[in-house]
Amino acid sequence: MAKKDMTTDAAREKDREKWMACLQVRLAMQPDMDRTVVLQAVKDVTAHCTDRGEYSRTAFGDPDAYAVHAATQLVPADRAARARRHDAVVDALDSVVKRAGDVTGL
């Protein structure tokens, strides 16, 4: 069976969908990111690309790098700092629990 050739438009649309999916996942992984902020970032990217006729990868580059950039712009600094402190405490507690589990007799 012959493999179908994708048209340029179909290939770009598929790339756009992959880019947006990657952006959403990476944004969701950022400290203290909530659903409304992720949706706002996706809305902003979509509006920009529609208004200017650009493709997301061309306009914003790598979705991972853009997710980090967008998070710094969209999440208030105090909320992001609080999330980092929380993550540090959780990591420290995990370390203590692991060490306690390594002690013989416990």
Side-chain angles (χ1 to χ4, degrees), residues 26-34 71 75 79-81 83-84 87:
R26 298 300 185 216
L27 280 170
M29 293 172 57
Q30 296 300 311
D32 210 31
M33 184 65 68
D34 62 23
V75 176
R79 204 165 76 176
R84 283 192 298 276
D87 290 347

Side-chain angles (χ1 to χ4, degrees), residues 87-105:
D87 290 347
V89 169
V90 170
D91 290 344
L93 287 173
D94 285 345
S95 177
V96 169
V97 169
K98 183 180 182 305
R99 287 184 203 159
D102 291 343
V103 174
T104 57

Side-chain angles (χ1 to χ4, degrees), residues 30-87:
Q30 296 300 311
D32 210 31
M33 184 65 68
D34 62 23
R35 185 172 190 259
T36 57
V37 177
V38 172
L39 293 175
Q40 182 62 46
V42 169
K43 181 180 173 184
D44 292 346
V45 168
T46 302
H48 174 91
C49 293
T50 301
D51 292 346
R52 299 194 178 167
E54 293 180 306
Y55 292 99
S56 50
R57 187 171 302 281
T58 305
F60 298 98
D62 180 59
D64 295 337
Y66 183 69
V68 172
H69 172 73
T72 61
Q73 300 297 313
L74 297 172
V75 176
D78 61 330
R79 204 165 76 176
R82 185 174 56 243
R84 283 192 298 276
R85 285 191 306 271
H86 177 268
D87 290 347

